[in-house]
RNA sequence: GAGAGCGUAGCUCAGCCGGUAGAGCAACUGACUUUUAAUCAGUAGGUCAUGGGUUCGAAUCCCAUCGCUCUCACCA
């Protein structure tokens, strides 16, 4: 709708009004409803662990202080389930054990409020670890109702727009974001274990490059110039490699691409890129295998990971297949026997593929690969020997100059990694970048410029190296059984909505 | 960008061969009191996304707009 509705509308619902009234009463009664200082003696999980062996129907003299959000309330507040990030604890308030002053607060406490409780620990005869409340401290009054307690928030739009409600009420969602953090730190730990140094390179760039994608453009006021959010860190990481700071560098950070949004694409996404001097693309294959295996093991204790109705096995070594071989097997077309672009197009056309009339041999090969092979690559596998035409930063395969030492790792038919033996011949690099630039300009991409600073660094001499990029969000999807990239990004890109 | 589908109470959902809006949870009032989605009785809550049209009558049919989802395209 074009006219924004009054924001007050959401607050005027009964539940919210009642909460506002309760807040006013609380302010009158206890003063500060949002106190700055409160210290718990332990988390709910620590409490559960400490008293794991406490028998049912047993009281202790141990006094503890806990804090958390009220998730449910039974018997008019006599039983309250309090949750902090670590877990749940039951609070018991009864006239025999809880002073009048604390019990007076109970009618003013709503689901979703954050409270602190001090009292003695016991386990009820039903086996529930419980604190007999002696003091109750209001820490935060919630002015909005909690989502339905049994189903949580299931409206997909709400789950993405109000992620706090999603995580608050959906255990699966909470777990997935915990796993995301674990995977991210796992990637860093793995790379450091392999001897890589984490570095940070610019996200704001004056010349964008390192991939083919539309950038986000912005403007620097003081420098008075256009800048771009990076589409890849590649060129800066290579300049770092030239420096000799480390022979193994990596970066985990956001890339930005001004393109389509889908279940597998978010305009900003997390990429891990690394460059390894004196290594080649085959060394990188081993690195990818070790990394995925390590991550799966750290999450599940096994390399077998459920995804939808499939089971993905990340145990290395992965299957390896050269792109021309894969295409030959799938279609019978032997690209290595085809000499010219024209013959390649004719062969593709004869096999029923619609090819553009200016496509090269390599473009035809890659197209047929995507059409016929990509979708079959369910278990983790490496596809090697890419056409040079679509790989401006990779070294030629000795004896077959139309192919390069490049591989992409696939899983569940998605590309999850892209790696090459990095081109370090300055003259060849310049030729290919000029060619790429001309193609970009021909496409109407007029902002694309030649990165002279990068070429200058390559002129200085970059050691032979293997390089790798891993799409971390997709990797997380695979490792956490998430059907959409929005399920693994806390706040995925949304259209603005005024309601 | 194209196609298909969806949008009903704070939340989860019924109702959709057109006859004037319903349940559960949450809320409120009361009862009960060692519960585990507590229970019982009652109350309140909706411009059925928005705007138009067809009709005696529209949540329901049609059109447009907004938002979302999926598929495709672009792209990894």
């Amino acid at each position: 709708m074009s006219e924004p509705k009054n924001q007050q509308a959401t607050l005027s619902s009964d539940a919210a009004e009642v909460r506002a009234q309760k807040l006013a009463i609380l302010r009158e009664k206890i003063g500060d409803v949002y106190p700055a200082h409160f210290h718990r003696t332990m988390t709910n999980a620590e409490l559960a662990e400490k008293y794991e062996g406490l028998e049912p129907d047993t009281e202790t003299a141990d006094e503890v202080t806990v804090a958390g959000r009220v998730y449910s309330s039974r018997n008019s507040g006599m039983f309250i389930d309090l949750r902090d990030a670590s877990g749940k604890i039951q609070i018991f308030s009864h006239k025999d054990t809880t002073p009048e002053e604390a019990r007076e607060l109970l009618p003013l406490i709503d689901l979703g409020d954050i409270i602190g409780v001090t009292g003695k620990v016991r386990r009820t005869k039903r086996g529930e670890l419980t604190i007999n409340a002696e003091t109750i401290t209001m820490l935060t009054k919630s002015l909005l109702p909690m989502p339905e307690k049994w189903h949580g928030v299931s409206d997909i739009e709400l789950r993405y727009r109000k992620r706090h409600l999603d995580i608050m009420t959906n255990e699966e969602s909470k777990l997935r974001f915990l796993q995301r953090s674990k995977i991210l730190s796992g990637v860093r730990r793995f790379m450091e274990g392999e001897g890589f140094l984490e570095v940070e390179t610019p996200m704001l760039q004056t010349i964008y490059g390192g991939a083919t994608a539309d950038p986000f453009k912005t403007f620097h006021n003081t420098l008075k110039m256009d800048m771009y959010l990076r589409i890849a860190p590649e060129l800066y990481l290579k300049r770092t490699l030239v420096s000799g700071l480390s022979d193994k560098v990596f970066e985990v950070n956001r890339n930005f691409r001004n393109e389509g949004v889908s279940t597998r694409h978010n305009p900003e996404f997390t990429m891990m890129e690394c460059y390894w001097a004196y290594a080649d693309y085959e060394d990188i294959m081993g690195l990818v295998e070790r990394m995925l295996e390590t991550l799966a093991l750290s999450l599940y204790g096994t390399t077998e990971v459920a995804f939808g109705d499939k089971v993905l096995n990340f145990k290395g070594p992965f299957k390896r297949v050269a792109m021309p071989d894969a295409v030959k097997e799938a279609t019978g077309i032997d690209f290595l026997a085809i000499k010219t672009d024209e013959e390649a197009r004719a062969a593709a056309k004869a096999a029923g593929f619609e090819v553009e009339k200016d496509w090269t041999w390599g473009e035809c090969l890659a197209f047929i690969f995507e059409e016929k092979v990509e979708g079959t690559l369910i278990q983790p596998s490496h596809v090697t020997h890419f056409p040079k035409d679509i790989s401006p930063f990779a070294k030629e395969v000795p004896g077959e100059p139309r192919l390069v030492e490049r591989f992409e790792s696939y899983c569940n038919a998605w590309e999850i990694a892209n790696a090459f033996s990095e081109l370090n011949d300055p003259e060849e690099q310049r030729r290919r970048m000029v060619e790429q630039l001309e193609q970009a300009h021909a496409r109407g991409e007029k902002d694309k410029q030649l990165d002279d600073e990068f070429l200058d660094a390559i002129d200085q001499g970059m050691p032979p190296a293997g390089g790798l990029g891993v799409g971390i969000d997709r990797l997380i999807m695979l490792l956490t059984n998430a059907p959409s990239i929005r399920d693994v990004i806390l706040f995925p890109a949304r259209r603005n909505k005024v309601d």
Side-chain angles (χ1 to χ4, degrees):
Chain A
M1 67 213 79
S2 52
E3 283 293 305
K5 282 199 284 184
N6 190 341
Q7 195 64 33
Q8 290 302 114
T10 45
L11 294 178
S12 68
S13 70
D14 281 344
E17 216 163 72
V18 166
R19 281 166 186 252
Q21 286 163 5
K22 287 181 181 173
L23 173 59
I25 296 168
L26 280 164
R27 287 196 204 274
E28 184 87 6
K29 202 178 180 80
I30 60 176
D32 193 356
V33 181
Y34 299 90
H37 308 291
F38 186 82
H39 299 289
R40 53 184 172 176
T41 55
M42 60 181 90
T43 68
N44 292 342
E46 287 165 350
L47 194 66
E49 198 188 335
K50 181 169 178 188
Y51 293 97
E52 199 183 351
L54 190 65
E55 293 296 321
D57 204 14
T58 313
E59 313 224 344
T60 75
D62 303 355
E63 190 168 276
V64 298
T65 299
V66 296
R69 191 182 292 278
V70 175
Y71 266 74
S72 82
S73 166
R74 294 177 292 281
N75 297 31
S76 308
M78 187 192 294
F79 296 93
I80 284 174
D81 285 344
L82 203 64
R83 278 204 226 167
D84 63 15
S86 74
K88 182 187 101 169
I89 184 71
Q90 178 168 267
I91 307 299
F92 181 68
S93 303
H94 190 272
K95 58 180 184 293
D96 295 346
T97 48
T98 304
E100 178 69 20
E101 191 190 350
R103 278 187 295 123
E104 273 181 6
L105 288 176
L106 294 177
L108 297 169
I109 293 174
D110 290 303
L111 300 191
D113 289 354
I114 298 171
I115 62 174
V117 175
T118 299
K120 293 195 175 61
V121 180
R122 72 178 172 104
R123 194 176 290 282
T124 66
K125 58 180 170 219
R126 307 281 179 101
E128 192 76 31
L129 191 63
T130 299
I131 295 171
N132 286 338
E134 283 156 28
T135 63
I136 297 177
T137 311
M138 200 67 204
L139 298 178
T140 297
K141 181 75 193 163
S142 167
L143 293 180
L144 295 173
M146 286 279 276
E148 211 254 3
K149 66 179 169 187
W150 192 238
H151 302 91
V153 175
S154 65
D155 181 84
I156 293 173
E157 188 178 352
L158 252 190
R159 290 181 53 190
Y160 295 150
R161 283 192 193 278
K162 302 199 176 187
R163 184 67 89 184
H164 54 286
L165 294 181
D166 176 33
I167 291 173
M168 207 179 280
T169 59
N170 296 323
E171 201 56 41
E172 185 195 16
S173 195
K174 179 178 175 184
L175 177 64
R176 194 173 274 139
F177 286 106
L178 290 174
Q179 286 178 317
R180 181 182 176 113
S181 289
K182 199 168 175 185
I183 292 166
L184 269 174
S185 73
V187 166
R188 289 196 160 94
R189 212 164 332 114
F190 170 81
M191 292 304 288
E192 284 169 359
E194 292 273 334
F196 284 81
L197 180 79
E198 182 171 8
V199 298
E200 294 168 286
T201 66
M203 306 244 241
L204 264 182
Q205 305 181 341
T206 51
I207 295 174
Y208 63 94
T212 320
D214 281 337
F216 287 93
K217 189 176 185 177
T218 184
F219 185 78
H220 192 288
N221 291 341
T222 306
L223 296 176
K224 290 189 174 51
M225 63 180 183
D226 290 331
M227 296 194 86
Y228 304 88
L229 296 181
R230 76 174 184 201
I231 58 174
E234 175 154 348
L235 305 187
Y236 284 95
L237 286 173
K238 285 180 175 170
R239 288 164 70 174
T240 308
L241 200 61
V242 169
S243 78
L245 176 69
S246 169
D247 289 335
K248 295 180 174 185
V249 295
F250 79 105
E251 177 164 10
V252 183
N253 227 323
R254 228 66 67 79
N255 287 349
F256 304 84
R257 297 187 184 178
N258 204 341
E259 283 162 357
V261 175
S262 79
T263 47
R264 285 187 296 283
H265 303 263
N266 196 62
E268 52 178 310
F269 63 98
T270 300
M271 179 81 104
M272 194 285 285
E273 272 199 25
C274 73
Y275 293 87
W276 178 1
Y278 316 115
D280 60 27
Y281 80 132
E282 295 207 352
D283 296 313
I284 301 283
M285 277 185 233
L287 184 76
V288 169
E289 287 161 5
R290 289 196 297 282
M291 182 173 80
L292 295 183
E293 196 173 319
T294 301
L295 291 173
L297 283 172
S298 78
L299 284 178
Y300 302 111
T302 164
T303 56
E304 296 192 351
V305 175
F307 188 88
D309 54 5
K310 308 177 187 99
V311 175
L312 307 171
N313 193 340
F314 290 97
K315 174 89 189 133
F318 301 163
K319 190 180 120 191
R320 299 180 185 189
V321 61
M323 188 183 284
D325 294 344
V327 166
K328 187 177 175 186
E329 193 186 324
T331 65
I333 306 175
D334 183 2
F335 269 80
L336 293 180
I338 296 174
K339 297 296 173 216
T340 65
D341 295 342
E342 203 174 352
E343 285 174 70
R345 289 193 294 267
K349 218 177 264 178
F353 297 99
E354 287 188 26
V355 296
E356 304 287 332
K357 52 180 171 296
D358 60 339
W359 277 5
T360 61
W361 176 86
E363 284 170 322
C364 291
L365 172 59
F367 178 75
I368 296 175
F369 167 77
E370 283 166 22
E371 290 289 304
K372 284 289 165 189
V373 183
E374 207 176 74
T376 68
L377 302 173
I378 304 304
Q379 290 302 324
S381 44
H382 303 305
V383 176
T384 66
H385 295 76
F386 275 59
K388 186 163 76 176
D389 331 10
I390 59 167
S391 313
F393 296 109
K395 273 184 175 152
E396 287 172 9
V397 172
E400 181 45 272
R402 294 183 296 179
L403 297 174
V404 291
E405 293 197 354
R406 171 181 180 182
F407 75 90
E408 287 188 347
S409 304
Y410 285 84
C411 185
N412 193 43
W414 306 342
E415 181 207 332
I416 53 172
N418 183 15
F420 339 117
S421 295
E422 299 293 341
L423 185 61
N424 67 339
D425 176 335
E427 295 177 341
E428 173 73 8
Q429 180 70 83
R430 182 175 294 273
R431 260 197 303 281
R432 292 211 216 161
M433 284 184 80
V434 167
E435 195 178 308
Q436 289 287 309
L437 182 69
E438 283 165 358
Q439 286 170 7
H441 286 170
R443 279 196 305 271
E445 209 184 309
K446 56 183 189 305
D447 279 8
K448 186 83 182 169
Q449 295 176 56
L450 195 64
D451 193 336
D452 283 315
E453 291 184 349
F454 167 72
L455 287 169
D456 178 73
I458 297 299
D459 281 346
Q460 202 75 54
M462 182 178 83
L468 166 71
V470 179
I472 296 294
D473 306 282
R474 286 189 189 174
L475 181 59
I476 293 169
M477 289 169 70
L478 290 171
L479 289 173
T480 65
N481 196 14
S484 168
I485 198 168
R486 289 169 215 129
D487 295 327
V488 302
I489 292 175
L490 272 175
F491 302 101
R494 300 278 85 187
R495 229 180 230 110
N496 260 339
K497 189 183 180 189
V498 190
D499 62 356

